[in-house]
């Protein structure tokens, strides 16, 4: 590990409050319900409750109630201290030293110490673990993460070290101006080594799991429910109000909506798209539509013909009328997407992409020309399979997409749906040609969207571009937001020329919430809505 002299660079960063006032900040005039138990819809069945293996929003919601990292988010999305009280950054920007709280314990009463972080970080990047977010550590430029991921260095060479029980140090190979923001992702949360060594993959069962945040696992019945109960060992337990939260995996949004209407569910994961206008009229006080950090895609596997040809990829992208998708099919304020990064991202200014400036008729004409140039016409129509995870909304969109592609390009599309866990495995194995996909930002900065498509990113498309990688490398070295944004725009331009995925729309987040639930943020563009911030009113 490299060493350097540490200096405090800013009081606002180095010495932040040890007791955030935001946790379940109940107004003085609110009367709390006697029973503080809530039920939340969670969409798909959770593939994992292991923070090191999490890569989807269903898992992330539950994990974030049970585990915590060095930092967390306030309800409004501000980065605040969590298991660390404060941190320092070295003068060269490469070394972060985090100071842990004195009173932090695992749910079994054992102290949480810096070596827990060292173990957990190394566990994620260890190729033997096969963690889906190992790439994230390379993107964060933690020293040697990329070489360890590639099997070129042993895991003990990772740039992390417990200096003592209360001091955890991370060394980067280059300054990353948004590094602390990246620490809100669950792959950076510590896990309890003795439980993992004793029980292996079964350590996340209720009888084995040890947690670090406001809740612990009481029950996990597959395809039925996950029940979390309050963790009295949590350092901020005094500010927690909800005693029990139940997550229901309901992929059928109509079924979830019906259970909300009967009062069984307090907060939905979503609701049937076709009922949005009716719900808006009938339940205006329960419907919340918020900004979101998310982009909906159709992802190409560029290693498989005919999608190794950018002309074919661009033809399919151009032939979609996004105004129909966002205004007619969805109609919840979603924004047509022609690039990777949502406009809701803090400080990001989207570039003007040439194909996004065209009228749809002009895009259709270009699409036909590109496909003909690639050798496809009525006598040799383009034919492929589009896979999506089981969901009525994904199915409806896939039907609309196949219709548009057939009408404009004469393409023949076979639709195939898969259960969520199987779908994720297929993506990870690159066993697809075209797949429905979405990316929800891990933190509020453009790099969380753009770094995905770097050669070292998660990048299920198998796409690689030197020009794209170079723009991202220059962005991370930029001293100002304006300069960084310039390189992000360059990366977006390269993406639009190569089109390894079809950006369809940028999300808004719409849910139904019982009016008795307080503390739920209406403004945070990030996904996180922690149960520890919520409360039930009378």
């Amino acid at each position: 590990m490299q060493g350097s002299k540490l200096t405090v660079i800013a009081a606002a960063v180095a010495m932040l409050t040890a007791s955030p006032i935001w946790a379940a900040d109940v107004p003085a005039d609110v009367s709390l319900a006697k029973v503080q138990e809530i039920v939340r819809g969670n969409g798909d069945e959770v593939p994992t409750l292991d923070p090191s293996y999490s890569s989807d929003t269903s898992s992330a919601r539950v994990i974030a109630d049970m585990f915590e990292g060095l930092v967390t988010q306030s309800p409004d999305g501000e980065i605040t201290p969590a298991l660390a009280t404060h941190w320092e950054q070295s003068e060269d920007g490469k070394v972060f030293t985090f100071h842990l709280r004195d009173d932090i314990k695992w749910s079994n009463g054992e102290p949480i110490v810096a070596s827990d972080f060292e173990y957990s970080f190394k566990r994620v990047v260890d190729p033997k673990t096969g963690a889906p977010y190992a790439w994230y550590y390379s993107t964060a430029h933690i020293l040697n993460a990329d070489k360890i991921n590639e099997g070129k260095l042993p895991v003990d060479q990772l740039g992390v070290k417990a200096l003592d029980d209360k001091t955890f140090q991370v060394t980067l190979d280059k300054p990353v101006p948004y590094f602390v923001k990246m620490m809100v992702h669950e792959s950076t949360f510590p896990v309890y080594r003795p439980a993992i060594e004793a029980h292996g993959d079964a350590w996340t069962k209720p009888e084995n799991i040890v947690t670090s945040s406001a809740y612990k696992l009481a029950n996990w019945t597959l395809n039925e429910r996950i029940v979390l109960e309050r963790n009295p060992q949590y350092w901020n337990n005094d500010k927690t109000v909800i005693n029990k939260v139940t997550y229901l995996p309901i992929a059928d949004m109509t079924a979830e909506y019906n259970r909300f209407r009967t009062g069984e569910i307090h907060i939905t994961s979503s609701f049937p798209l076709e009922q949005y206008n009716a719900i808006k009229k009938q339940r205006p006080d329960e419907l919340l539509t918020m900004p979101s950090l998310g982009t909906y895609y159709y992802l190409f596997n560029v290693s498989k013909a005919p999608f190794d040809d950018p002309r074919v990829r661009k033809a399919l992208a151009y032939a979609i009328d996004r105004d129909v998708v966002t205004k007619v099919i969805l109609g919840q304020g979603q924004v047509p997407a022609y690039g990777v990064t949502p406009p809701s991202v803090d400080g990001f200014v989207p570039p003007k992409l040439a194909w996004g400036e065209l009228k749809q008729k002009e895009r259709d004409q270009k699409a036909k020309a590109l496909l003909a140039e690639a050798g496809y016409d009525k006598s040799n129509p383009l034919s492929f399979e589009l896979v999506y995870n089981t969901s009525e909304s994904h199915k409806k969109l896939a039907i609309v997409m196949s219709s548009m592609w057939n009408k404009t390009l004469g393409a023949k599309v076979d639709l195939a749906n898969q259960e969520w866990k199987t779908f994720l495995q297929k993506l990870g194995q690159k066993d697809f040609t075209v797949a429905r996909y979405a990316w929800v930002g891990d933190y509020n900065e453009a790099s969380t969207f753009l770094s995905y498509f770097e050669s070292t990113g998660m990048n299920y498309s198998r796409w690689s571009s030197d020009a794209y990688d170079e723009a991202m490398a220059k962005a991370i070295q930029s001293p100002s937001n304006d300069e960084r944004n310039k390189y992000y725009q360059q990366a977006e331009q390269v993406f639009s020329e190569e089109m390894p995925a079809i950006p369809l729309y940028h999300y808004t987040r719409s849910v139904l919430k019982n009016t008795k639930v307080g503390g739920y943020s209406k403004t945070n563009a990030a996904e996180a809505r922690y149960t520890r911030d919520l409360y039930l009113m009378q």
Side-chain angles (χ1 to χ4, degrees):
M1 283 182 62
Q2 296 180 342
S4 68
K5 185 178 178 181
L6 296 175
T7 57
V8 178
I9 62 168
V13 172
M15 293 299 295
L16 292 167
T17 176
S19 298
I21 61 171
W22 43 260
D25 192 12
V26 184
D29 60 346
V30 166
S31 296
L32 292 174
K34 290 182 180 179
V35 177
Q36 291 292 326
E37 299 178 359
I38 67 169
V39 179
R40 304 180 66 164
N42 201 34
D44 299 286
E45 173 59 65
V46 167
T48 182
L49 290 180
D50 187 330
S52 300
Y53 286 97
S54 174
S55 64
D56 68 293
T57 53
S58 296
S59 299
R61 290 188 194 110
V62 184
I63 288 170
D65 273 348
M66 295 194 295
F67 295 90
E68 199 164 63
L70 296 162
V71 298
T72 188
Q73 292 183 60
S74 73
D76 291 330
E78 294 297 319
I79 299 298
T80 65
L83 296 182
T85 58
H86 63 285
W87 50 89
E88 297 127 12
Q89 185 177 359
S90 63
E91 196 169 324
D92 65 4
K94 294 181 181 180
V95 180
F96 287 81
T97 303
F98 295 89
H99 301 274
L100 304 188
R101 296 180 182 278
D102 292 330
D103 54 349
I104 50 176
K105 297 178 182 178
W106 293 103
S107 57
N108 64 358
E110 291 295 314
I112 299 173
V113 293
S115 58
D116 293 324
F117 282 93
E118 181 177 340
Y119 164 76
S120 302
F121 276 47
K122 289 178 177 178
R123 180 175 181 248
V124 171
V125 299
D126 189 343
K128 295 177 183 176
T129 305
Y133 257 64
W135 66 273
Y136 191 74
Y137 284 53
S138 298
T139 301
H141 287 278
I142 297 177
L143 184 66
N144 293 329
D146 51 350
K147 295 182 177 66
I148 295 167
N149 285 335
E150 296 166 4
K152 296 178 180 178
L153 282 178
V155 71
D156 62 7
Q157 294 298 302
L158 186 67
V160 297
K161 185 177 183 181
L163 302 183
D164 54 46
D165 281 354
K166 293 297 177 184
T167 315
F168 177 60
Q169 190 173 87
V170 183
T171 301
L172 313 182
D173 59 38
K174 63 175 64 174
V176 177
Y178 43 83
F179 175 76
V180 173
K181 281 188 176 184
M182 296 186 74
M183 294 298 99
V184 301
H185 190 263
E186 60 268 22
S187 67
T188 68
F189 295 174
V191 291
Y192 189 62
R193 184 173 188 170
I196 295 168
E197 292 181 343
H199 305 290
D201 290 343
W203 84 275
T204 55
K205 290 184 176 181
E207 62 269 25
N208 301 329
I209 196 167
V210 179
T211 66
S212 59
S213 193
Y215 299 92
K216 54 186 179 179
L217 182 63
N219 179 273
W220 184 5
T221 305
L222 286 176
N223 298 310
E224 185 179 320
R225 64 185 57 233
I226 292 175
V227 181
L228 309 183
E229 294 179 347
R230 192 149 158 184
N231 170 23
Q233 300 290 348
Y234 178 48
W235 67 268
N236 212 18
N237 181 53
D238 289 346
K239 293 286 185 71
T240 305
V241 176
I242 299 294
N243 293 317
K244 183 169 80 171
V245 53
T246 300
Y247 282 93
L248 302 181
I250 309 171
D252 185 332
M253 287 184 288
T254 299
E256 186 184 47
Y257 178 44
N258 289 337
R259 291 170 80 168
F260 175 83
R261 290 197 296 178
T262 62
E264 182 183 351
I265 293 176
H266 292 90
I267 307 169
T268 67
S269 64
S270 187
F271 51 80
L273 297 177
E274 67 274 10
Q275 296 195 44
Y276 178 79
N277 290 328
I279 291 171
K280 192 174 182 179
K281 291 178 181 177
Q282 297 165 7
R283 298 175 177 271
D285 295 336
E286 295 173 319
L287 174 62
L288 300 179
T289 298
M290 302 154 282
S292 180
L293 301 177
T295 302
Y296 194 106
Y297 296 100
Y298 286 107
L299 193 67
F300 296 112
N301 185 341
V302 303
S303 67
K304 292 187 176 183
F307 301 111
D308 54 348
D309 188 336
R311 293 172 299 183
V312 176
R313 303 196 298 260
K314 289 166 75 173
L316 291 176
Y318 288 11
I320 296 172
D321 189 333
R322 287 157 180 77
D323 287 335
V324 170
V325 171
T326 56
K327 295 177 183 177
V328 179
I329 307 300
L330 300 174
Q332 298 175 31
Q334 291 88 348
V335 179
Y338 299 96
V340 178
T341 312
S344 58
V345 168
D346 187 29
F348 178 71
V349 180
K352 288 189 175 181
L353 301 172
W355 74 290
E357 298 293 305
L358 299 175
K359 295 180 180 179
Q360 188 56 45
K361 285 185 178 180
E362 295 172 316
R363 276 194 290 270
D364 287 345
Q365 290 171 355
K366 283 186 173 290
K368 292 174 184 176
L370 284 164
L371 202 61
E373 190 179 318
Y376 294 94
D377 53 28
K378 289 182 179 180
S379 62
N380 180 35
L382 177 66
S383 178
F384 62 92
E385 181 184 69
L386 170 63
V387 297
Y388 59 92
N389 57 295
T390 304
S391 164
E392 279 302 310
S393 62
H394 299 328
K395 180 180 179 180
K396 288 174 184 176
L397 277 177
I399 291 171
V400 171
M401 294 305 101
S402 62
S403 175
M404 287 183 179
W405 286 327
N406 180 263
K407 180 181 177 182
T408 304
L409 302 174
K412 297 179 179 179
V413 186
D414 293 324
L415 303 182
N417 75 294
Q418 298 169 345
E419 292 302 318
W420 182 236
K421 195 169 184 177
T422 303
F423 180 72
L424 287 179
Q425 289 172 346
K426 290 283 188 181
L427 288 176
Q429 295 163 0
K430 313 296 192 293
D431 184 17
F432 69 95
T433 49
V434 183
R436 171 264 159 189
Y437 197 62
W439 189 254
V440 177
D442 295 315
Y443 51 97
N444 196 347
E445 213 270 346
S447 58
T448 189
F449 292 91
L450 293 163
S451 62
Y452 176 92
F453 289 100
E454 288 185 76
S455 299
T456 56
M458 198 167 184
N459 202 352
Y460 290 142
S461 68
R462 291 188 176 180
W463 177 66
S464 181
S465 163
D466 290 341
Y468 188 93
D469 292 347
E470 183 180 350
M472 293 302 293
K474 289 180 178 178
I476 205 171
Q477 296 167 5
S478 300
S480 68
N481 288 335
D482 287 346
E483 186 175 337
R484 197 153 53 246
N485 197 74
K486 179 181 71 174
Y487 291 115
Y488 288 155
Q489 290 180 340
Q490 287 183 12
E492 292 272 10
Q493 294 283 0
V494 175
F495 183 96
S496 72
E497 286 300 316
E498 293 287 324
M499 210 70 74
I502 300 174
L504 190 60
Y505 66 86
H506 300 302
Y507 281 62
T508 54
R509 176 169 167 77
S510 293
V511 302
L512 289 164
K513 180 187 72 67
N514 188 299
T515 55
K516 292 185 178 181
V517 177
Y520 192 95
S521 174
K522 300 176 184 178
T523 58
N524 188 0
E527 174 75 19
R529 298 293 189 280
Y530 307 120
T531 302
R532 66 172 185 254
D533 296 332
L534 308 180
Y535 52 89
L536 278 176
M537 298 174 281
Q538 285 186 346

